[in-house]
Amino acid sequence: MTELKPWQWPEETWRGKVEQVRAGRNLKPKVWPGGARCAVALSFDVDHETNELRDGGKSVGRLSWGQYGNRAGMPRILSMLAREQIKASFFVPAVTALLYPDEQRRVVAEGHEIGLHGWIHEVNTAVPPDQERELHLRSADTLETITGVRPVGMRTPSWDFSEVTLAVERELGLIYDSSLFADDDPYELIEKGEPTGMVELPVEWIRDDAVYFNMNRFQALRPYTPPEAVFDIFKREFDGAYAEGGLFLLTMHPHVITYRSRFWILEELVRHAKGKGDVWFATHAEIAAYVKAQAGL
């Protein structure tokens, strides 16, 4: 039987795809803890070598780029967070944790959160559903074994979300996801018309360092955006969240943001946010737990 083209689909087909995972009620609280006007969620996707491993691991050069994230990136990030006395969330592929277990233990020991980020940074929609489920469950067990703490949230690798991802997250008992785009502020996830009680802490490519600084020498992918422009974009996103009393969530990568000509972006952004005087820096888990409690979920 010939597969129907999208323009040939009956309503039940296109409507079913749309309603698989939807944004439910907005969960932005009336007030943040301590009377803060805005919540700031700094996050780091600790991919390291898994970016290259998931594609076959053929480039020693790109594997070494991943190692930079461990050798230079993570120490720089953790030192800055300690100096500023703020907490952040680190989303870690299980293979990264197996390569660098001491790094993950240090993250937890210093009061930060570790969240799920796949097994080897695989693309969920390219993995059969039963294997995706097994990989997520194995990843949760691996991170718990290494760190002693079981993750309560997930960011899917490359923000790739399959038709079964939410069901697996619910099976794992997670309280939040941070992979989808339907709002600026936290919202409840709806699965096939059913409110799930799970919080979505939405992401956006414009609040991600990789889209501005990634490089592939064999393609036309180059870091064309200067650091000053990236800082301006991030700052405007924060200022908008502050003006609206919402959430500012920033996604970064240890092998991308921490170069000497770029790290000032994050340092200056933290100083700018702190200068407001009424901003709550928190982990994703803390923010998800707070908005769930405020909403009675």
Side-chain angles (χ1 to χ4, degrees):
M1 181 178 177
T2 303
E3 184 177 353
L4 295 177
K5 301 297 184 181
W7 64 85
Q8 298 172 316
W9 287 344
E11 181 175 344
E12 64 183 22
T13 299
W14 53 256
R15 191 175 294 278
K17 289 181 178 294
V18 168
E19 293 181 351
Q20 180 73 32
V21 178
R22 295 290 276 173
R25 57 173 167 158
N26 188 293
L27 298 179
K28 183 175 77 172
K30 293 181 180 179
V31 62
W32 294 101
R37 180 169 179 81
C38 175
V40 173
L42 301 180
S43 59
F44 301 89
D45 292 0
V46 191
D47 302 332
H48 294 353
E49 289 93 334
T50 62
N51 275 318
E52 179 61 19
L53 289 173
R54 81 167 181 190
D55 293 329
K58 297 178 181 178
S59 171
V60 173
R62 289 183 69 82
L63 288 170
S64 72
W65 185 31
Q67 191 179 12
Y68 179 92
N70 165 258
R71 289 175 62 88
M74 286 294 284
R76 198 161 281 162
I77 290 165
L78 290 170
S79 294
M80 185 277 292
L81 294 174
R83 184 171 64 250
E84 296 292 342
Q85 297 184 311
I86 55 180
K87 304 305 179 187
S89 297
F90 293 78
F91 294 94
V92 184
V95 167
T96 294
L98 290 167
L99 285 168
Y100 303 105
D102 289 343
E103 176 184 274
Q104 315 321 317
R105 296 186 189 111
R106 178 184 173 187
V107 168
V108 170
E110 295 185 10
H112 305 294
E113 176 196 6
I114 284 186
L116 293 166
H117 199 47
W119 176 257
I120 197 167
H121 208 258
E122 65 278 357
V123 177
N124 283 340
T125 53
V127 177
D130 60 332
Q131 293 182 35
E132 179 186 345
R133 175 184 177 275
E134 192 277 329
L135 287 171
H136 288 319
L137 267 61
R138 193 191 335 158
S139 297
D141 290 342
T142 299
L143 292 183
E144 182 178 21
T145 298
I146 290 172
T147 67
V149 179
R150 193 162 183 86
V152 299
M154 179 188 293
R155 172 168 294 155
T156 58
S158 299
W159 298 338
D160 190 67
F161 208 94
S162 82
E163 292 184 350
V164 303
T165 302
L166 181 53
V168 177
E169 290 180 322
R170 297 179 71 184
E171 180 181 351
L172 282 166
L174 304 184
I175 67 170
Y176 78 88
D177 174 80
S178 185
S179 316
L180 301 176
F181 304 79
D183 207 320
D184 296 304
D185 297 311
Y187 59 86
E188 183 179 9
L189 286 169
I190 305 295
E191 184 175 26
K192 298 178 181 178
E194 174 194 355
T196 66
M198 273 191 65
V199 176
E200 178 63 33
L201 301 178
V203 293
E204 226 306 317
W205 291 109
I206 59 173
R207 296 192 306 274
D208 185 304
D209 59 358
V211 298
Y212 305 108
F213 295 131
N214 263 346
M215 163 76 180
N216 189 320
R217 64 190 174 124
F218 298 118
Q219 300 175 6
L221 183 62
R222 298 289 186 273
Y224 290 118
T225 311
E228 293 82 1
V230 177
F231 172 72
D232 184 65
I233 294 168
F234 289 170
K235 176 179 176 294
R236 289 173 185 269
E237 283 286 314
F238 165 78
D239 288 344
Y242 183 83
E244 295 177 2
L247 169 68
F248 173 71
L249 188 155
L250 186 64
T251 301
M252 295 161 286
H253 301 77
H255 68 288
V256 175
I257 195 65
T258 59
Y259 287 91
R260 292 163 178 160
S261 60
R262 299 174 186 168
F263 197 58
W264 69 268
I265 297 171
L266 177 56
E267 294 175 311
E268 186 61 31
L269 193 64
V270 168
R271 284 192 288 267
H272 175 68
K274 278 191 163 186
K276 295 292 186 180
D278 55 352
V279 170
W280 182 43
F281 285 88
T283 67
H284 287 45
E286 290 171 331
I287 291 170
Y290 180 78
V291 300
K292 277 176 68 74
Q294 292 297 299
L297 293 178

